[in-house]
Amino acid sequence: MRPIRLFDLLMGFSHALDLVTPFLAGHHVRVTFLSQLLAARLRLPQTTRKHMLMASMLHDIGAIPLKSDTRDLVFEQNKNQHCRAGWAFCKTAGLPLPVCDMVLHHHTEWQAYATPRPQQALAANCIHLADRLDIALRANNKQSLADACKTQQVREREYAPRALAALADLAEDADAAALLYSREGMVNHLAATFGSVLLGPRQLVGLCGLFSQTIDSKSPFTATHSLGVAHTARMLLKLTSMADSRDLTTMYVAGLLHDIGKLAVPLDILEKPEALTPEEMTIIQKHAQISMELLGSIPGFSCVSEWGGRHHERIDGTGYPCQLNAARLTLPMRIIAVADVFTALTEDRPYRKGMPLTQAMSIIVSMAELRYLDMPTVELLAEHVALVNHERIRAQRRAAANFVAMRRLCASTAEGMTLTK
């Protein structure tokens, strides 16, 4: 896997967030574009603008339902709660503190800050202004950018005077108004500004880890599944002695994001207590193809897309989404398919305990005998099952601890949740 651009990865994640709230499709890109136009007029430092890029692309990440169990929502989708939930996601994933703070305060009114206002307040307020501006434009799609700006300028309590001055200048920018209705134009503009920012392996894994948490948080039935698959698959690939460090990182990222397509699956299907209808099964099976398409849209993620998106293909060619047979399934694809089944059988879920290793391995061997799973990979797993299972348990306990931390952060009072000074 070659170096990945920060902007490309964030664009991929924004596509995924669009699947969760289709009525706001393109919202994150437009808010990012508008907030960067404001930041440029305010001459904010480049480092601040990079943090704004991350925060605005992810600002509604907390709108994905995060549950403590099947009955209890940790937060409702209102302004205060989804801001806090997004902040909790970013904080537990180890994103830069300014990014976390901007996500937390992307709906905070300017007059609500204590004085003196903290360092990141103006940047967060620009994201808030851009967010409200996009919502206003969506509410009246015949409204011009200039008119939408005027409706925001009267809300002096909400916005910083400097931000309003930048908005007045933006209202007169015909080029910006034209780009606002061209997704390609906005993307090209942002890429020209931030396209040179590359992610190191640790930064890449951190951001992908953040998004794997959002994937798993959609349903408590699989609340730690992605991390379990990632660690299991990486361990199995390592045990083959046929991979270098880059391959292991690629496999880990593929495991983290293999179920990203489930963001498009309705929650009532993901959590249906009885057997799915044929129509519902068709819907849920589409997640693999959606995963491939989302991951494949990120330049440099071709292996992540192929390895992660093929986790439901079978050796005999009866799997999905493409019914590939053994001749077209590479070793990494076979490994992640085994890792997915092993993790699903052995992990604890709200409605059942994980299977004992002997029972899980019996099922997995049977699936290999039926030519659903790759027999050499299953034999490798069987030879090292205690070691692999120890790695899986350790990873999933860490994921569970992260969710506990996020629930506590979401449930905490606003005290102490201020912008970094």
Side-chain angles (χ1 to χ4, degrees), residues 190-205:
L190 292 168
T193 307
F194 297 101
S196 63
V197 181
L198 299 177
L199 293 168
R202 182 174 296 182
Q203 294 170 309
L204 173 66
V205 168

Side-chain angles (χ1 to χ4, degrees), residues 316-330:
D316 67 354
T318 62
Y320 61 88
C322 297
Q323 296 80 50
L324 302 184
N325 60 22
R328 299 177 63 190
L329 293 173
T330 64

Side-chain angles (χ1 to χ4, degrees), residues 114-411:
T115 52
R117 292 181 178 88
Q119 180 181 354
Q120 305 300 333
L122 182 59
N125 197 243
C126 286
I127 297 174
H128 173 51
L129 175 51
D131 180 89
R132 294 299 89 194
L133 189 58
D134 184 49
I135 295 300
L137 288 165
R138 287 170 182 274
N140 184 356
N141 59 16
K142 295 181 180 180
Q143 188 178 34
S144 68
L145 175 61
D147 288 341
C149 289
K150 289 176 184 177
T151 64
Q152 299 303 312
Q153 285 168 342
V154 300
R155 302 164 71 174
E156 295 181 356
R157 173 181 170 80
E158 287 198 40
Y159 308 124
R162 290 179 63 197
L164 287 173
L167 182 66
D169 183 61
L170 176 61
E172 305 300 321
D173 190 334
D175 292 337
L179 285 176
L180 190 58
Y181 296 97
S182 166
R183 183 182 179 90
E184 182 180 1
M186 288 187 291
V187 169
N188 289 340
H189 174 88
L190 292 168
T193 307
F194 297 101
S196 63
V197 181
L198 299 177
L199 293 168
R202 182 174 296 182
Q203 294 170 309
L204 173 66
V205 168
L207 274 170
C208 292
L210 163 68
F211 221 78
S212 77
Q213 288 181 327
T214 69
I215 297 164
D216 289 349
S217 75
K218 186 169 182 180
S219 171
F221 286 11
T222 56
T224 65
H225 180 70
S226 296
L227 200 64
V229 172
H231 280 264
T232 299
R234 183 173 63 179
M235 175 63 75
L236 287 173
L237 183 60
K238 186 176 182 179
L239 288 168
T240 66
S241 300
M242 297 172 62
D244 59 21
S245 61
R246 287 179 298 180
D247 292 331
L248 294 174
T249 298
T250 301
M251 178 61 86
Y252 186 72
V253 170
L256 288 175
L257 301 178
H258 75 284
D259 271 344
I260 195 171
K262 283 189 176 178
L263 292 174
V265 179
L267 196 60
D268 57 349
I269 294 179
L270 283 178
E271 297 187 351
K272 187 175 180 180
E274 61 267 11
L276 298 177
T277 67
E279 293 78 13
E280 291 168 337
M281 184 60 72
T282 298
I283 290 172
I284 203 166
Q285 287 183 346
K286 287 180 180 178
H287 83 271
Q289 182 64 39
I290 295 170
S291 290
M292 287 192 63
E293 291 171 357
L294 281 172
L295 297 173
S297 72
I298 301 172
F301 258 33
S302 57
C303 284
V304 172
S305 172
E306 286 291 316
W307 299 359
R310 304 294 187 190
H311 64 281
H312 284 298
E313 299 287 359
R314 291 177 170 179
I315 298 298
D316 67 354
T318 62
Y320 61 88
C322 297
Q323 296 80 50
L324 302 184
N325 60 22
R328 299 177 63 190
L329 293 173
T330 64
L331 178 61
M333 296 175 191
R334 299 172 187 222
I335 286 175
I336 204 163
V338 172
D340 184 58
V341 174
F342 177 74
T343 303
L345 292 178
T346 54
E347 67 189 355
D348 291 338
R349 295 191 176 179
Y351 55 90
R352 63 150 171 86
K353 294 290 289 182
M355 289 183 186
L357 286 182
T358 52
Q359 183 182 0
M361 287 308 302
S362 176
I363 292 172
I364 290 172
V365 169
S366 296
M367 293 177 71
E369 290 171 345
L370 291 169
R371 301 193 74 242
Y372 293 166
L373 297 175
D374 178 54
M375 182 60 84
T377 302
V378 170
E379 290 173 344
L380 179 67
L381 171 62
E383 182 181 355
H384 301 279
V385 68
L387 176 64
V388 173
N389 195 51
H390 174 76
E391 180 73 6
R392 175 198 66 80
I393 291 172
R394 190 168 66 91
Q396 292 193 286
R397 282 178 177 170
R398 187 166 69 252
N402 278 344
F403 278 112
V404 170
M406 282 192 287
R407 287 198 293 270
R408 287 175 177 167
L409 289 170
C410 290

